[in-house]
Amino acid sequence: MRLVQLNVHPLKSGAIRPISSTTVQPGGLVDDRTWMVVDGDGRLVSAREVHRLFHVVADTPSTDPSVTAALRLRAPGHPDLLVDVPGAAPVDVHLFSLDLQARPAGPDADAWVRSVLGRGDLRLVWCHAPERRSLQPGFSRPGDHAAFPDSFPVTIASLASLRRLDDWILERALELGEVPPEPLPVERFRANLVVDGDEPFAEDGWTRVVVGDVSFRIGKPVGRCVMATLDPVTLATAKEPTRTLARHRRSDDGKVFFAVHLVPETTGLISVGDEVRAG
């Protein structure tokens, strides 16, 4: 197998930033999901609620070396905004059921986010201490941590599995007399690592993955939510891939799965083209 795509998301639910190489840290890839939009109560606001977040392009010096601040925000029809590392006192924030803390980015960043997303209660926050967040009991170890991903530091998806899923989607559409759909882009699943070269859904049996010289262990399969049905370009929603995953990749508790979560075991540089070994 080879690593064929490498993606980070400096702003949670923001535009995917493809890169050619990055450093893996204990808490995940550098700058991945370290910034987050919250509401007036400090609760996560994601593209589930505000689809336009997908069109907010957030870059850091690690995703674009021309960036001269900690974060640069861009959105169609709005001026760019540079944001420095926040120095304000941490505030309480809530990521689903998790009670965490983060540093507020300040009034200029808040005004920009509110203008772009059309909501007057939004704030931008930064994860100043990812090591303080523990991961899901039963699937993690003491010391495992992450910034603001939903549950685990890194996700990995397989193009072989996506091709099988596309075949299933096509078969179902033909059964129902629907217009055959275009193949789904892997970006629908917002994975950090995209690999190719193994059998479809071989990842179901993996316990460990080594990318280049960096080792990861498997956390758990990724339960897919409504965001996978959201077209990142048009922002339109559809039944797929959830409809087909529910037929072929559904657990007893009703969750549907595609891709797997990873936890770094070692640190170091990984790059597109690296050999990927799994077992």
Side-chain angles (χ1 to χ4, degrees), residues 140-144 217:
S140 63
R141 300 175 183 174
D144 290 346
R217 71 176 184 277

Side-chain angles (χ1 to χ4, degrees), residues 21 39 43 55 60 76 109 127 136 185 198-199 213 227 229 239 242 247:
S21 63
D39 65 14
R43 297 193 176 280
H55 287 174
T60 70
C127 184
Q136 185 175 349
D198 207 339
E199 295 298 315
D213 295 323
M227 283 176 60
T229 68
K239 295 178 181 178
T242 302
R247 296 188 76 195

Side-chain angles (χ1 to χ4, degrees), residues 100-119:
L100 307 172
Q101 287 202 318
R103 294 190 187 274
D108 290 345
D110 294 346
W112 190 94
V113 168
R114 292 169 182 176
S115 175
V116 169
L117 299 180
R119 276 183 51 173

